[in-house]
Amino acid sequence: MTNTSRKDPDGFRSLQTKGNGIKTQTIGFLLLDNFTLISLASAIEPLRMANQLAGHELYRWYTLTADGEPVSASDGLKVTPDVSLRTPLTLDMVVVCGGVGPHRSVQREHVAWLQGQARLSRRLGAICTGSWALAKAGLLDGYDVSTHWECMAAMREAFPRVELTTRLFCIDRDRATSSGGTAPLDMMLNLIAKDHGRELSAGISEMFICERVRNEQDQQRIPLRHVLGTTQPKLLESVALMEANLEEPIGLDELACYVGISRRQLERLFQKNLDCSPSRYYLKLRLTRARQLLKQTSMSIIEVASACGFVSTPHFSKCYREFFGFPPRDERIGNLQPVARLQVDALFKDAAFEVISGEPVSSALVALDQARGEPTYASVTVTK
C-alpha cells in the first residue's frame, strides 16, 4: 500500500475498478446496541463475495456507531466500528442493524443522523429490528416494511403510518428492509442481482452453499402462539391439527369435535382472531406448504398437489392461481436461476489498492486484496 497526496472525492479506489465504468457503491452499517451479529454478517458477506467474484470493488462498506466506540452485539461480543457518526463519509446507502430492544437502543443522535442522510437522498435500509430507528425518524411512513416478527406488534402500535408486512424483506423504492437471521442475505442477493445481474448473485449463492435465493414473496413463519398468546387454546389446538393433517385434510365438523367445540364456535374463533374462516385458513396452510415444495424440491406438480390434500391437479392449479396470482407451473419456472459458471482466472498483480484520500480504509479493500489468491477471484464477468 502506497501513500499519495492526490485527492479524489471517491476516497479509496481499487486499482482494478479504474476505467471499468462500474461505480463502487459505499454502504454504511449503523450498529445499534444489542444488534444481532448473524444479521450483520448476512448483509456484509454477500458484498465481500461480490467483490471477490467480480475481481474489483463493486461495494465498499463501513460500520458506524454514535460515538465511534465499540458496541455489544446481542450475543455479548463487542464490535469496534470503523467510524463515528461525526466522520464525514459519502455514502450511497445506509443500513441500520438492530437486534434486542430497539426501542431502548435508538438514541436522538441516531434519529438526527438518519434524517440528515435522508435529506442527502441516501438510500435507506434496515435489518432485523433496525427498521425501528428509521420509523422513529419518520422515514418509513407510507413504505412497505419488513422487520423481525417479534417486533411487529410493537411497531404497529408505535408507528401506525408504517405499512408493516410479514415478508422476509421488502424493497420499496429507496427503502430496503429485512427481517432477522439470514434474511438479510436474501435481500442483499436480490439487490446485487438488480445492480449487477443474476449471474453474480447466483455465483455468490453457490459460494455460500445457499440452495435457493428467496424473494420478496417469501414470508416469515410467525408462530401463531406469538400472535395470539395463550388466550385461545382451542384455536391453537385447531391450527395444530390442521398443520399435522395437510395431506389428508380433516373436515370442519370433525375438527370441531376433536377440540371439543361446535362448528359454529370454531368458525367464530377463526373469524374473530384470524379474520378468516377455518376453511380459508386451512387452504392457506396447504397452499403455503405446496409453495415450499415447489421451490425446494423436485417433486412434480401432481405429487405436490397430492401431498397437500388436493384431489386433482386442475383444482390445485385453480386454487394456487387464485391465492398467489399465478399458477404453480410459473412458480417452478421462476425458481430456476442461471448457474454461475465459475472459472479459474489468472491472478492479478500485487498492489491491490492505494490510498488516495483522507477517508478511512474500508475493510472491503482489505478483504478484496486477501481474496486475490482465491481460485474464484474475478471469475464472474460484471457488465455495466
Side-chain angles (χ1 to χ4, degrees):
M1 187 185 299
T2 58
N3 286 312
T4 175
S5 59
R6 182 163 59 88
K7 298 292 183 180
D8 190 289
D10 290 334
F12 294 87
R13 178 181 296 168
S14 165
L15 290 179
Q16 297 302 329
T17 62
K18 291 180 179 178
N20 68 2
I22 300 174
K23 180 184 181 297
T24 299
Q25 294 190 47
T26 304
I27 303 175
F29 289 90
L30 173 58
L31 309 182
L32 302 180
D33 193 33
N34 280 319
F35 74 94
T36 50
L37 202 58
I38 188 173
S39 294
L40 176 65
S42 295
I44 290 181
E45 283 296 300
L47 306 179
R48 175 186 69 84
M49 190 53 64
N51 290 348
Q52 177 173 319
L53 297 184
H56 22 260
E57 191 193 12
L58 302 178
Y59 298 96
R60 180 183 309 166
W61 58 85
Y62 298 100
T63 53
L64 307 93
T65 59
D67 54 8
E69 294 299 313
V71 63
S72 293
S74 57
D75 56 11
L77 292 177
K78 283 192 175 293
V79 173
T80 301
D82 297 313
V83 296
S84 74
L85 299 185
R86 295 183 298 274
T87 306
L89 288 175
T90 301
L91 302 173
D92 296 293
M93 184 176 186
V94 173
V95 177
V96 185
C97 309
V100 178
H103 58 288
R104 296 189 299 269
S105 301
V106 178
Q107 307 298 324
R108 285 179 297 177
E109 296 88 342
H110 298 135
V111 170
W113 186 79
L114 288 169
Q115 290 171 337
Q117 294 299 304
R119 287 192 293 271
L120 293 171
S121 300
R122 309 283 192 246
R123 287 186 296 157
L124 300 175
I127 57 178
C128 197
T129 63
S131 52
W132 186 285
L134 293 178
K136 183 79 172 177
L139 302 174
L140 292 180
D141 291 356
Y143 283 90
D144 286 345
V145 172
S146 293
T147 191
H148 193 284
W149 58 263
E150 281 190 317
C151 191
M152 288 183 66
M155 278 197 68
R156 281 200 177 98
E157 289 295 323
F159 312 111
R161 295 183 180 179
V162 176
E163 301 294 333
L164 285 166
T165 78
T166 58
R167 299 202 295 269
L168 286 176
F169 65 91
C170 291
I171 301 173
D172 185 359
R173 291 161 286 172
D174 56 351
R175 302 289 188 267
T177 53
S178 167
S179 56
T182 59
L185 170 65
D186 299 282
M187 182 176 79
M188 287 301 185
L189 286 173
N190 277 267
L191 289 173
I192 290 168
K194 290 176 185 291
D195 290 340
H196 301 293
R198 293 178 65 186
E199 184 183 9
L200 180 59
S201 177
I204 298 167
S205 179
E206 287 184 350
M207 291 297 292
F208 290 157
I209 326 297
C210 180
E211 292 184 358
R212 180 176 72 87
V213 181
R214 296 174 290 184
N215 58 38
E216 286 188 80
Q217 279 67 53
D218 285 286
Q219 304 284 320
Q220 297 183 66
R221 181 167 173 78
I222 304 174
L224 190 61
R225 190 173 298 276
H226 174 80
V227 177
L228 298 177
T230 58
T231 60
Q232 300 295 337
K234 295 294 185 182
L235 181 57
L236 292 171
E237 187 180 353
S238 300
V239 170
L241 282 169
M242 288 179 174
E243 291 176 333
N245 294 274
L246 298 180
E247 187 170 355
E248 296 183 7
I250 307 173
L252 294 186
D253 289 327
E254 187 179 6
L255 183 63
C257 183
Y258 276 135
V259 299
I261 58 177
S262 69
R263 175 168 174 162
R264 188 177 181 84
Q265 287 174 310
L266 181 70
E267 290 172 340
R268 281 202 299 263
L269 274 178
F270 273 83
Q271 200 64 51
K272 179 181 178 181
N273 294 280
L274 299 176
D275 198 29
C276 67
S277 65
S279 57
R280 180 66 178 173
Y281 191 86
Y282 210 166
L283 179 63
K284 176 183 176 181
L285 289 177
R286 292 159 59 204
L287 290 172
T288 300
R289 175 59 175 161
R291 192 172 196 214
Q292 292 172 338
L293 294 176
L294 287 171
K295 284 177 169 289
Q296 299 172 9
T297 74
S298 58
M299 293 171 63
S300 69
I301 292 176
I302 296 175
E303 291 171 328
V304 171
S306 176
C308 297
F310 292 91
V311 295
S312 71
T313 304
H315 180 234
F316 169 59
S317 297
K318 177 177 180 292
C319 293
Y320 201 97
R321 181 192 290 272
E322 289 177 350
F323 192 83
F324 291 113
F326 45 83
R329 179 180 58 85
D330 289 359
E331 185 79 84
R332 176 59 57 80
I333 293 172
N335 192 45
L336 298 177
Q337 295 194 5
V339 177
R341 304 291 184 236
L342 302 180
Q343 300 175 346
V344 177
D345 197 24
L347 298 179
F348 287 85
K349 296 180 180 180
D350 296 331
F353 53 85
E354 59 181 340
V355 180
I356 55 178
S357 88
E359 283 191 358
V361 176
S362 167
S363 54
L365 288 173
V366 178
L368 181 58
D369 189 41
Q370 294 173 342
R372 289 176 180 277
E374 297 294 328
T376 55
Y377 183 81
S379 58
V380 174
T381 301
V382 177
T383 58
K384 296 181 187 178

